[in-house]
Amino acid sequence: MQEVTEIRWHARGGQGAVTAAKMTAEVALSQDKYFQAFPEYGPERSGAPLVAFTRLSDEPIQVYSAVEHPDYVLVLDPTLLDVTDVTEGTPDGAVVIVNSEEPAAALAGRPEMSGRSVYTVPATRIALETIKRAIPNTPLIGALAKVSGLFPLEAVTDEVRASLSKKFGDEVVNANLEAVRRGYEEVSGE
Amino acid sequence: MKKWQIDDIDTWGPSRHELGATIPRSGTADDYNTGGWRVERPVRDREKCNDCMICFFACPDSSVVVEDGKMAEIDLEHCKGCGLCAAVCPRDAIEMTDELEARRKEEE
Amino acid sequence: MSRKAITGNGAVALALKQVEPDVMSAYPITPQTEIAQNYAQFVANGDVKTEYIAVESEHSAMSAAIGAAAAGARTITATSSQGFALMWEMLFIAASLRLPITMPVITRALSGPINIHCDHSDSMGGRDCGWIQLYGEDAQEGYDNAIQAFRIAEHMDVRLPVMTMIDGFIISGAIGPVQTLDDDKVKEFVGEYQAVNPLLDADNPVTVGPFDGLHGWYFEHKVSQNRAMENAMRVIEEVGAEYGKLTGRPYSHFTTHHLDDAEVALVAIGSAAGNAKTVVDGLREKGRKVGLLKVRTFRPFPAAQVAEALAGVQVVGVMDRSDSFGAQGGPLFTEIRSALYDAVPRPQVLNFIYGLGGRDIFPSDIEEAVSVCEQAAAGESVTQERHYLNLRED
């Protein structure tokens, strides 16, 4: 069977989870990997909980069903921990990265996190301080790069620069690059 | 214009027909004598008619024949005898008459 | 050539843009919306010279496409689900007028209950309207089929409209890697459009869509439509081979996977074929003799070739993403079982209905289907009634 890395994103509508799943796919493209990125389809409403998926592999990916057993779970909104089990279906040792001001140890004690590797990154604060908007997706991609080692930080920053510089000026591009870098540096956990 | 020989079309198999049943000619309705459906025949009184052409616009079958800006005749190959021309004529110059009677007279 | 991260819809819209047909008439509908929207944007940005007709319904979209194609324009549209259903009567007219319109269909359930998600009720419901039907597994095949459709439809031995399917949302909305051709390569591949008896040729006036009565030639024209379908069997393969030379991705009517020594085989169409391929690979590693046949061409249906490919298999499990209520099974099942009627020895053919209204089909569901087929192959009695995958049972 082919080796596929599976990622699940939990967020609320408007927090950029689908964009994050897409950007991760673009990074994979630049690394000559195979990839898939798709949301769980349904009515899209700002503020409503949503789920998106990314698959990464060195070989073509031919499974199109929803990700059942993600290796990585990224939580863009810490309030979701209380309304949904973000670890559902995850195997032992799965990595959970939460956008939170709390230390990872504080979340690791939650019963559903047992046996999972928990990391936190203050992605909303980083976003507010860099891009001046509470969209935590780019710091989380930086955090994913650090924790997973799936791709180097430069691959993410190169992709962010390439995709944003088509539409935005240096200020916006640099703010986003800073957001990615800080996510990479400030993620902490086990 | 393309030449389209259809004399023996009743014997044609699937491969001989034009793609999509297209007819490589236009205005083919002119070839059909549809005047045979008529029960009443319009007869125009040349004396009363002043060529106002209101009947020309009213006729749903384009059966009012115009020549040199004048109403020349009614095309009985295509007129179905609906009577609209007679109804709209402001001078009552068109009368609807019995078709069978008219044909009998023609045969005499 | 370049490699892109793009949605299925984005890939199809790009293919259409690269062909740059004369006319597109379309009405946006979920999950096809992105195609109509992207193409309107290409037109607005001046990227293409296509005349975009914004219509008020899909019935009008297909009517306008028929008018444009009859006038002599290379014409496209795109739709899904209820929009496809609303086109219904015009689909037959496009085919019977022998107009080479091409149409991506982003497959979606038909209501009700109201449902916007993927199944094949729309396109499979239209399987007998006289259009050629090509099904793609992923965004790459959606792109490739959309380009080849023009060559197949416009071939003088065919002159039939072609619809190319990808699965709604599952493929249309997912981002995946797609190898795209350069614009000039696509234009060179599809070539100049040759209209037949165009209405706009004022020197050679024609009558399109005449009345044909009781003593007319309707019957003969229907037979000629079916002959065009027979010709399409050959043309689809020729075009697929030529496309393969250009891209390294040759296409035929179907592909097989581990079928040669298979004791049981699955037959699937659309994205589920990818899931099935992955399951087959996994089961092969465990020594189980299972194979897969993925159908691309559903109309015309390559019955003889399919029967040959499945010869020697003991049990065939046919996966249908739509049902044909009251029939002996789903549309793919009835085709496959009929194709195998003359096979000696004749395999047992089982039907697995799955994925209606977007119900997910997991690898474990497909493994279950394989197990049922293996039980039948081992001589156990297995029902010929429909088997349902991932259904909430009573």
Side-chain angles (χ1 to χ4, degrees):
Chain A
M1 283 271 249
Q2 55 185 344
E3 289 300 318
V4 180
T5 303
E6 297 187 312
I7 304 168
R8 187 170 66 208
W9 307 78
H10 289 271
R12 293 183 183 278
Q15 291 177 327
V18 177
T19 309
K22 186 180 174 202
M23 281 176 71
T24 309
E26 300 268 5
V27 172
L29 175 77
S30 72
Q31 301 286 294
D32 288 329
K33 280 180 185 281
Y34 290 89
F35 51 89
Q36 228 180 45
F38 56 104
E40 185 176 83
Y41 301 99
E44 283 156 33
R45 298 151 296 170
S46 190
L50 66 82
V51 171
F53 308 101
T54 307
R55 284 193 175 97
L56 304 171
S57 179
D58 292 328
E59 294 170 61
I61 303 166
Q62 289 171 319
V63 171
Y64 308 99
S65 47
V67 168
E68 293 178 281
H69 309 295
D71 306 295
Y72 296 90
V73 175
L74 283 90
V75 184
L76 275 70
D77 189 326
T79 67
L80 289 170
L81 295 178
D82 295 325
V83 293
T84 180
D85 177 6
V86 300
T87 64
E88 189 188 351
T90 52
D92 272 350
V95 171
V96 182
I97 308 175
V98 184
N99 167 23
S100 172
E101 291 285 342
E102 295 197 60
L107 299 181
R110 298 173 65 99
E112 77 272 19
M113 300 291 188
S114 168
R116 313 288 176 270
S117 298
V118 183
Y119 294 83
T120 59
V121 57
T124 301
R125 177 157 53 83
I126 294 172
L128 286 170
E129 288 171 6
T130 52
I131 62 173
K132 317 291 183 201
R133 293 176 68 195
I135 300 178
N137 57 3
T138 40
L140 267 167
I141 297 174
L144 176 65
K146 173 75 169 290
V147 172
S148 69
L150 285 166
F151 29 75
L153 175 64
E154 292 70 41
V156 184
T157 50
D158 286 352
E159 174 52 37
V160 168
R161 190 180 294 112
S163 66
L164 293 185
S165 57
K166 287 178 212 153
K167 284 189 196 166
F168 301 103
D170 285 349
E171 200 179 335
V172 172
V173 173
N174 289 333
N176 275 280
L177 291 175
E178 183 61 13
V180 173
R181 272 191 216 105
R182 283 189 56 187
Y184 185 89
E185 285 157 10
E186 294 179 31
V187 65
S188 65
E190 296 167 19
Chain B
M1 249 213 273
K2 281 185 197 170
K3 286 193 177 151
W4 204 44
Q5 296 297 337
I6 60 165
D7 298 341
D8 57 346
I9 193 168
D10 279 335
T11 68
W12 285 14
S15 61
R16 290 202 45 196
H17 291 270
E18 203 71 22
L19 206 61
T22 294
I23 299 171
R25 271 186 52 201
S26 62
T28 51
D30 197 43
D31 298 343
Y32 274 93
N33 180 348
T34 48
W37 309 358
R38 198 169 50 245
V39 178
E40 287 190 305
R41 176 183 294 195
V43 176
R44 190 261 309 255
D45 183 340
R46 181 67 265 186
E47 294 301 313
K48 288 186 188 172
C49 171
N50 66 348
D51 300 297
C52 72
M53 299 297 163
I54 289 176
C55 59
F56 171 81
F57 291 111
C59 179
D61 279 307
S62 303
S63 293
V64 175
V65 182
V66 178
E67 281 167 13
D68 300 328
K70 306 265 186 204
M71 180 194 170
E73 59 175 335
I74 290 166
D75 169 9
L76 294 176
E77 294 268 293
H78 298 97
C79 166
K80 295 173 189 64
C82 71
L84 268 176
C85 53
V88 299
C89 179
R91 297 172 72 102
D92 291 330
I94 300 176
E95 188 189 350
M96 300 306 291
T97 65
D98 185 77
E99 177 67 22
L100 287 178
E101 187 67 32
R103 284 191 204 170
R104 253 198 305 276
K105 277 184 189 160
E106 277 172 356
E107 281 167 19
E108 282 170 13
Chain C
M1 274 201 255
S2 68
R3 192 167 180 262
K4 291 186 171 63
I6 192 167
T7 62
N9 275 340
V12 170
L14 176 64
L16 300 177
K17 176 192 176 193
Q18 292 181 310
V19 172
E20 196 179 353
D22 302 309
V23 174
M24 176 170 194
S25 66
Y27 191 83
I29 181 168
T30 300
Q32 159 266 37
T33 314
E34 202 183 350
I35 294 176
Q37 177 192 332
N38 284 8
Y39 208 89
Q41 224 153 38
F42 299 148
V43 174
N45 291 346
D47 297 334
V48 290
K49 293 195 190 80
T50 306
E51 182 75 28
Y52 190 96
I53 311 176
V55 287
E56 76 279 21
S57 77
E58 286 84 357
H59 190 280
S60 305
M62 187 47 65
S63 300
I66 289 167
R74 180 179 265 163
T75 305
I76 56 169
T77 181
T79 196
S80 292
S81 184
Q82 310 302 125
F84 186 95
L86 188 52
M87 283 181 177
W88 207 263
E89 65 166 331
M90 304 315 292
L91 291 173
F92 285 80
I93 295 183
S96 62
L97 292 178
R98 308 292 297 277
L99 299 172
I101 298 164
T102 74
M103 172 168 74
V105 175
I106 313 306
T107 57
R108 168 188 147 182
L110 286 173
S111 297
I114 297 173
N115 186 301
I116 62 165
H117 298 283
C118 176
D119 71 31
H120 297 158
S121 300
D122 48 7
S123 61
M124 281 296 171
R127 64 193 180 275
D128 289 336
C129 64
W131 285 55
I132 290 166
Q133 291 199 329
L134 305 176
Y135 286 79
E137 176 190 320
D138 57 10
Q140 183 71 62
E141 295 188 1
Y143 173 86
D144 294 339
N145 284 339
I147 292 171
Q148 291 171 70
F150 290 89
R151 285 283 303 277
I152 297 162
E154 294 167 12
H155 194 287
M156 287 302 171
D157 294 342
V158 179
R159 296 308 276 202
L160 286 172
V162 177
M163 59 178 85
T164 58
M165 273 57 73
I166 54 172
D167 282 355
F169 292 109
I170 299 165
I171 299 303
S172 74
I175 294 164
V178 176
Q179 295 277 0
T180 61
L181 290 162
D182 294 337
D183 292 1
D184 58 333
K185 291 283 177 209
V186 174
K187 286 204 171 61
E188 198 183 307
F189 182 78
V190 297
E192 280 283 310
Y193 183 63
Q194 301 290 328
V196 174
N197 290 329
L199 277 169
L200 285 182
D201 180 0
D203 295 332
N204 295 293
V206 294
T207 304
V208 170
F211 175 76
D212 184 51
L214 181 62
H215 302 292
W217 296 271
Y218 181 91
F219 200 168
E220 282 73 22
H221 281 293
K222 293 295 119 179
V223 171
S224 111
Q225 262 179 265
N226 201 54
R227 287 183 184 170
M229 275 286 182
E230 286 165 11
N231 293 343
M233 289 284 290
R234 167 178 57 81
V235 171
I236 290 166
E237 290 200 307
E238 286 170 3
V239 171
E242 194 184 324
Y243 191 76
K245 280 186 196 142
L246 179 67
T247 60
R249 295 185 301 276
Y251 280 80
S252 188
H253 296 306
F254 57 85
T255 51
T256 61
H257 191 62
H258 287 308
L259 206 51
D260 287 346
D261 64 339
E263 287 166 6
V264 305
L266 295 175
V267 177
I269 197 162
S271 66
N275 298 21
K277 214 180 297 171
T278 307
V279 167
V280 165
D281 285 342
L283 294 177
R284 279 277 167 178
E285 281 176 19
K286 293 175 186 162
R288 286 159 73 178
K289 291 198 165 176
V290 53
L292 170 73
L293 188 148
K294 177 177 88 172
V295 175
R296 173 185 182 231
T297 311
F298 190 74
R299 285 290 181 271
F301 192 76
Q305 291 183 34
V306 165
E308 202 184 319
L310 291 172
V313 172
Q314 292 172 39
V315 180
V316 178
V318 182
M319 296 173 56
D320 269 292
R321 200 169 200 134
S322 62
D323 207 343
S324 180
F325 308 111
Q328 293 170 74
L332 187 55
F333 169 77
T334 49
E335 288 294 341
I336 296 286
R337 197 164 66 156
S338 177
L340 291 172
Y341 181 81
D342 295 322
V344 182
R346 187 187 301 152
Q348 185 176 1
V349 188
L350 302 175
N351 192 196
F352 297 89
I353 307 271
Y354 72 97
L356 302 190
R359 179 67 53 85
D360 219 335
I361 175 88
F362 293 106
S364 53
D365 301 316
I366 297 171
E367 283 172 19
E368 181 191 320
V370 172
S371 295
V372 172
C373 292
E374 286 172 337
Q375 282 163 27
E380 286 179 45
S381 165
V382 172
T383 177
Q384 279 301 130
E385 302 285 314
R386 291 163 172 79
H387 300 259
Y388 298 100
L389 301 176
N390 200 7
L391 175 78
R392 298 182 193 113
E393 300 279 358
D394 287 320

